[in-house]
Amino acid sequence: RRPGRGRGQGAAPAEAEEEHDRAEDDRARGGPSLADTLAAKGLTWKTYAEGIPRAGWTGAGAGRYAKKHVPFLYFRNVLARPAWLRNVVPLGRLSPRRLPDFALVIPDLCHDMHDCPVRVGDAWLRRFLPPLLRIPETAVFVTFDESYGPGNRVPALAIGPLVRPASRFASAITHYGLLRTLEDGLGL
């Protein structure tokens, strides 16, 4: 149970959960998202979220799943389209032989190293990445969302058959820069 939710907070657990979900939905943004850009170009997309209870689920969290790490669920245009909501699916549905044009993988709070030691996340990556790296004409980006060190520097890796071996990018890159790289790579 997360602090500030459920028993002892002045509301029954179900009411507190509903109130929290409404607050999360209020943070949804208008305007175009990557889903719009991909659809306009005729490209397919899917988010594979570890621990999400079912496809299209918009609750704030369940077990080690956290909605806050699934960006598509914060755009009104995605929330308003049932077919697009169904593109947010449990990680177990990922098949390296049947990937969409753009796939976003969201590990749970343990495997993304928020709530568990780095060695646990590293072991998960060692198991999860190899099948993806064998797919021809693919680039896999592994990035993190925060750091507590000086300058908030976080690792970001680009790996796979489309990435030039031993290449390095020494300049700082942001999530916006990564988005631009993805858009350029997909011809958006």
Side-chain angles (χ1 to χ4, degrees):
R1 183 168 311 229
R2 292 187 204 151
R5 294 179 61 196
R7 290 186 179 90
Q9 301 300 315
E15 292 169 4
E17 183 73 25
E18 288 174 19
E19 182 179 325
H20 184 273
D21 289 348
R22 279 193 301 276
E24 286 285 307
D25 288 341
D26 289 344
R27 293 187 345 195
R29 305 279 186 245
S33 70
L34 182 58
D36 293 288
T37 309
L38 290 163
K41 188 75 171 180
L43 298 175
T44 58
W45 66 273
K46 199 163 276 198
T47 293
Y48 299 91
E50 187 175 25
I52 193 170
R54 64 185 174 279
W57 192 70
T58 60
R64 296 189 319 204
Y65 164 76
K67 173 185 172 181
K68 65 185 177 182
H69 291 143
V70 184
F72 286 109
L73 295 179
Y74 287 94
F75 285 91
R76 287 187 199 112
N77 54 359
V78 173
L79 296 171
R81 291 180 171 100
W84 284 11
L85 265 179
R86 286 190 298 272
N87 282 346
V88 180
V89 301
L91 180 59
R93 292 194 188 173
L94 186 141
S95 169
R97 290 182 292 228
R98 292 188 322 262
L99 286 176
D101 298 305
F102 174 80
L104 176 64
V105 174
I106 309 292
D108 68 23
L109 290 169
C110 181
H111 294 142
D112 73 3
M113 303 176 217
H114 273 89
D115 293 357
C116 292
V118 171
R119 65 179 162 71
V120 174
D122 284 348
W124 183 84
L125 283 170
R126 273 193 299 280
R127 284 189 315 272
F128 183 79
L129 283 178
L132 298 178
L133 298 177
R134 290 190 285 272
I135 302 170
E137 298 186 33
T138 299
V140 176
F141 297 89
V142 178
T143 187
F144 297 83
D145 62 356
E146 61 204 19
S147 168
Y148 298 105
N152 195 28
R153 297 178 61 89
V154 296
L157 307 171
I159 51 181
L162 283 180
V163 179
R164 188 176 10 177
S167 57
R168 296 181 71 81
F169 187 78
S171 300
I173 187 169
T174 65
H175 288 98
Y176 300 110
L178 175 59
L179 176 60
R180 177 63 187 260
T181 299
L182 294 170
E183 290 174 335
D184 287 350
L186 290 166
L188 304 176

